[in-house]
Amino acid sequence: MGPYGGTETENTERFYVSERFSHPSTERLEAFVEEALDGADRAVVDSHLTRCSDCQAEVAELRTLFAALGDLPELEPSAGFADRVMERVRVRQPVLAAASAWLDRVTPQSTRGWAAAAAVFALPVIGTTVLVAWLLAQPGVSAQGLWTFGTALVGDAVVVGAQWVWTQLSSSTLAVWAAQAAEVVGTAGAGQVGLALVMFATLTAGSIYVLYQNLFRPQQQRRIEHASYVI
């Protein structure tokens, strides 16, 4: 009988089965190789290594790997590397913040700037006024005739522009989708169309609610658990 209540062979088998399931983890062996364990843990791992060939082989591989990594050359970034990287970083701003920043850039910051901006905006008005006055001074030209000519010219321009827009839209993918949607609505029953409208209205209301809760609701009244725009 051995000291563990069985024969010597049984005790030996029990010892080796226990050792098999008590191997240190790879992370612990890495810490052992790097000498990052405290005295007690290091003594336990060291004692295990004296009788475990598998762990001895793993420690040897880890030491070889760490030695190879230690022999690699250390590369340092060139001067100004971080600045060049940050110059190419583009952080998307919310629409309102981007619009506000653009207005700040284009808004004059001095009296001279406001004067220049006023002059730029006044030039078309002044030029148009001078042209109209010159035309009215010509013989045979009246205000009513000039008005009729101007409205006809604008009307023709609107008609031509509308025709161009219609031509572009009718040949686009959007027009094809609209035609297909109209065909589907025409072949579907009133009940199906009504159900689709109800689903669309429900999804739209839900989307508006989510946008309000996360974007437009006052800052102090909403819970922020993710990236959010601050109004």
Side-chain angles (χ1 to χ4, degrees), residues 114-124 126:
W114 278 108
V120 169
F121 285 108
L123 283 177
I126 296 174

Side-chain angles (χ1 to χ4, degrees), residues 136-171:
L136 291 176
Q138 303 302 314
V141 178
S142 63
Q144 184 178 0
L146 189 61
W147 174 259
T148 303
F149 173 77
T151 53
L153 186 63
V154 172
D156 292 340
V158 170
V159 171
V160 172
Q163 291 176 347
W164 180 83
V165 172
W166 175 253
T167 303
Q168 297 298 320
L169 290 177
S170 60
S171 60

Side-chain angles (χ1 to χ4, degrees), residues 9-25:
T9 302
E10 293 174 348
N11 292 333
T12 302
E13 291 177 353
R14 188 180 298 127
F15 172 79
Y16 282 113
V17 169
S18 176
E19 284 293 308
R20 180 182 179 185
F21 291 99
S22 63
H23 291 296
S25 62

